Structures are given as C-alpha cells and as structure tokens.
Amino acid sequence: MSSEKPRPGFFALELLDNRFPVLHGLRVLAILSVVQLHVTAVMAGEEHITLDRDLSGVSVSIFFGMDMFFVLSGFLIGTILLRSLEQHGSQNIRRFYVRRAFRTFPLYYVVLIALALGTTLTPQQRAHLPYELIYATNFMPGGHTQLVMSWGWSLALEEQFYLTVPLLFLLLWKLPSDRARLGLLGALWASALAVRLYIFYRYGPWEDFALFRAIYVSTYTRYDTLVCGIALAFVHVRHKDRVMAWLTDPFHRALLAVPALGCLWLLVRPQLFGREHLPLFHVFAWGTLTTVMYFTSLLLFLSGVGSVTRALSRPVFRRMATLGYGVYLVHIPILQRLILPMAKGLGARQWPMVVVWPLSFVLVMVASFALSYVLHVLVEKPSLRLRERIAA
C-alpha cells in the first residue's frame, strides 16, 4: 500500500506547510496591513482623492506589514536550511534554489508580463522592464509611470538577499559555537542600521519620497528584517526546548511583550518626535524598531501559548495565507483599474470618504483573493508539482 498522500483535486488549494500554524494568521494580518496602506497611498497620493484625515493618518501609521513578510521569509528559509545542515551536515543548494524559483517565479512573471502586454507603457516603463524581469525593481526609479509593477520591489529585495543565504549559513556553520553564530547574526542585524544612518547623514537633507527610495526599498539598507528572521529561526530550531521552558513563566512572557508593545506604540505614534525629526525616526523605524517588535512577539507566538495564538492558528488563515502571494501581486492593478473608478464616482455623488475608503478596501481584498485563487489553480499548483519532481 502506498504511503503517499493523495493530491488535492483540481479546484482545491495546495496548502502551505503547517508546521507553524500561527504564522498563517500573522501572514494574513500582514496582507491586510499592506493592502490597506496601498489603498490609501494610491487614492491620496497618486489620484489626489481627499480622504478623511483621521482615517488616512491611522492607515499610514500601520505601515509595517511588509516587514512582517520579510521576517517570516527569513524565518522559514532559515528553518529549512538549518534543518538541512543538522540532518545532513551540508546544504543542498541546487534544491534550495529550485524550490525557491518554482515557488515565486511563475506567478511573478505571469502577472508582470500580463501587465506589460495589457498596458500602454510609458517610455520609462519600457526602458525599465528588463530590470523588473531580473528582479532589480528596487534599484529603479519608483512610481507607477516608471515601472510596470512598482510594488515588485519587495520581491526583488528578497530574491537578491536569498542569493547570499547559503553562503551566510556556510559561514555560520564554520563558527565554533552557537554564541558566536548568534553574535554574527546580531552584528549583521545592527549593521543595517549603521548603513541607514550613514546614508541619512551623508546625503541629506531629505524629502519624504527621496528618503523612501534611498533607504526603504534597497537590499543593502533593509536586510536586517531578513537577518532577524534567520536569527529567530536559529533560536527556535537550536534552542526551542530551552526557550519554551523559559516562556512557561508568565513573568518571562511579559518581559518579551514589553519591548514588542513598546516598539508598536512608537511605530504608530511618529508625531511624538516632531515633524522635523520624522526623517531620522524613519531611519530607525524602517528595520530596527520593526525587527525588535517582531523578534520578541514571534518568540511568544511560536511558544503556542495564549488565546491570540490559538485564534491566529485557525485553519481558515492557512487557506487565506496560501493565496497571499497572489493577492500581493494583483491587488494594485485591481485597485487602479476596477476600484478607483468606482471610488471616484461615489465621491462625485458626495459619498463620505469614511464610507468610500472601507468599501474600496473590502472590494480590493475580495477581488484580489478571487483572482489569486484562479492564478493559484492555473499557475501555482502546476508549478509546485513540477517543483517537487525536479527538486526530488
């Protein structure tokens, strides 16, 4: 009798690995955070729609969902490579890159090429398209008139970082102790802040968008989020029993919750530092505060303790998270081409923006999940099955 698990049917989801159920719920929260921010940015920034001031202020303050994606990516990739090293004493680099390519490339190229063929491109978009095809989006000028898929910068950043990950793990494994390995990861984490500070003081003063392009989207300034995920994987895989035993004490859990909540409080209240210090605050917020917040909070979530952890581990979040990559790829075109005309029409009819914005957000999410499901069935599932054959 074969022990091979039956494959899901044609219309079923090829669900994500379920070793860490709570991460599915966190990934969904990150998706919601990123999409709501983009709804505000496109409506107010690109289309100059006047939004409710309080609502847009809250929306913009919840900007750190993208960093959650980076940390989770670093954690999951780090977990895979660590287990490979522990079990086999070496890394199967070919398998690592094959699995990564078949997971991310097919859907990325399908959406990018569909947009390029279905859009009247500007001269700048045509000139920059080759760079988008090789995942160099984050080194190109930003803006929807410059790039076909400007939001692909985050995918480019991850793919560039992953080129170096096997080398990083080889170096870590050559160190004599776990203390030395964690020390190296800590130094790498801190070095990204040093790079951001150097750029900030060397090339300022800064306008908001220029600082964003110089610091927020570049691999050499934002790698601390991915290194944070790798460090988290190292602590969880190598010292899980010790950490779990330590977290059985409510006081110890509180010790981790305090910095997580403290960083969250600072991130959503940048006005505390004054308008003149906001650019410098961003240097710390775009990586340092977010990684401290996520490292400490994820240790708590991974412990499996608490009602919030149980709620985020519900099966529905696994299904939603499985479609999350597709949602990220398609939500901006859906917003620009389908939802914005509706929002403008409702605004012309004097609908209040406190109604139009939430309605737009909900419709973007519904339409994005629907299209992502179609792409999952037609593109992702065949790619993942081919991946298993080749990687085996």
Side-chain angles (χ1 to χ4, degrees):
M1 181 179 293
S2 174
S3 60
E4 185 178 346
K5 294 181 180 179
R7 288 183 171 179
F10 180 81
F11 293 104
L13 298 177
E14 192 87 26
L15 295 172
L16 294 174
D17 182 272
N18 204 34
R19 278 175 290 180
F20 307 106
V22 68
L23 300 189
H24 302 316
L26 292 171
R27 188 179 282 108
V28 171
L29 292 180
I31 293 168
L32 295 174
S33 168
V34 169
V35 174
Q36 67 82 27
L37 178 63
H38 287 168
V39 170
T40 297
V42 171
M43 292 179 72
E46 295 181 9
E47 299 297 328
H48 306 292
I49 298 174
T50 303
L51 301 179
D52 178 80
R53 184 174 180 179
D54 292 336
L55 187 147
S56 61
V58 171
S59 172
V60 171
S61 71
I62 308 174
F63 69 89
F64 36 82
M66 186 58 67
D67 283 18
M68 171 70 85
F69 282 123
F70 292 151
V71 173
L72 291 181
S73 292
F75 173 76
L76 294 171
I77 295 297
T79 301
I80 291 169
L81 291 177
L82 273 172
R83 285 178 173 161
S84 176
L85 283 166
E86 289 187 336
Q87 293 172 6
H88 308 292
S90 63
Q91 303 174 86
N92 189 331
I93 296 178
R94 173 186 172 277
R95 178 179 170 83
F96 170 76
Y97 284 125
V98 166
R99 291 181 63 83
R100 182 70 193 172
F102 276 87
R103 177 67 183 89
T104 59
F105 286 10
L107 203 55
Y108 173 82
Y109 285 118
V110 165
V111 174
L112 176 60
I113 293 171
L115 290 174
L117 295 176
T119 305
T120 302
L121 301 184
T122 66
Q124 294 87 356
Q125 288 174 325
R126 285 195 295 271
H128 296 151
L129 182 58
Y131 297 95
E132 294 188 72
L133 289 169
I134 62 170
Y135 282 93
T137 307
N138 56 332
F139 290 106
M140 295 296 101
H144 67 284
T145 61
Q146 300 280 337
L147 295 164
V148 176
M149 202 162 74
S150 58
W151 58 101
W153 70 266
S154 61
L155 308 175
L157 190 155
E158 285 195 22
E159 297 302 330
Q160 293 158 19
F161 182 82
Y162 288 140
L163 291 175
T164 67
V165 165
L167 180 62
L168 172 60
F169 274 84
L170 178 63
L171 177 59
L172 288 171
W173 223 243
K174 287 184 176 296
L175 294 176
S177 66
D178 282 357
R179 179 174 295 182
R181 294 170 186 131
L182 288 172
L184 175 60
L185 289 172
L188 282 173
W189 171 80
S191 68
L193 175 61
V195 172
R196 290 195 296 269
L197 285 169
Y198 172 78
I199 292 173
F200 178 81
Y201 284 110
R202 176 67 176 80
Y203 299 103
W206 295 96
E207 296 180 355
D208 290 344
F209 186 72
L211 184 65
F212 175 85
R213 291 300 308 174
I215 289 181
Y216 191 78
V217 303
S218 300
T219 308
Y220 54 83
T221 58
R222 297 277 279 140
Y223 59 84
D224 48 353
T225 52
L226 290 146
V227 170
C228 170
I230 291 172
L232 180 66
F234 198 91
V235 170
H236 185 73
V237 171
R238 302 280 289 175
H239 305 281
K240 179 180 178 179
D241 293 340
R242 186 183 304 175
V243 172
M244 294 284 283
W246 188 77
L247 287 174
T248 56
D249 188 332
F251 177 72
H252 293 161
R253 294 199 297 273
L255 286 178
L256 286 181
V258 167
L261 293 173
C263 288
L264 176 62
W265 186 75
L266 291 173
L267 288 167
V268 300
R269 297 179 65 84
Q271 67 273 15
L272 292 173
F273 300 92
R275 176 65 187 173
E276 66 277 15
H277 299 300
L278 195 57
L280 181 58
F281 170 79
H282 286 151
V283 173
F284 287 87
W286 293 344
T288 302
L289 289 176
T290 54
T291 51
V292 171
M293 176 178 70
Y294 287 137
F295 186 89
T296 51
S297 60
L298 283 170
L299 277 178
L300 287 170
F301 286 125
L302 289 168
S303 71
V305 176
S307 58
V308 175
T309 298
R310 290 191 293 272
L312 291 172
S313 302
R314 292 179 181 274
V316 63
F317 290 119
R318 185 184 181 193
R319 303 179 72 84
M320 295 175 70
T322 297
L323 299 175
Y325 180 49
V327 169
Y328 181 75
L329 287 171
V330 304
H331 76 281
I332 293 287
I334 287 174
L335 171 61
Q336 292 175 330
R337 301 182 183 201
L338 298 180
I339 307 304
L340 276 178
M342 177 212 71
K344 291 179 179 179
L346 294 177
R349 295 183 178 90
Q350 305 300 314
W351 280 49
M353 281 297 138
V354 291
V355 175
V356 174
W357 185 96
L359 178 62
S360 300
F361 170 64
V362 169
L363 291 177
V364 168
M365 291 304 308
V366 171
S368 297
F369 270 110
L371 181 54
S372 178
Y373 169 73
V374 173
L375 291 171
H376 177 81
V377 170
L378 298 180
V379 180
E380 279 192 292
K381 278 178 63 175
S383 301
L384 292 173
R385 292 181 178 181
L386 181 60
R387 177 185 75 171
E388 295 309 313
R389 293 180 184 177
I390 296 176

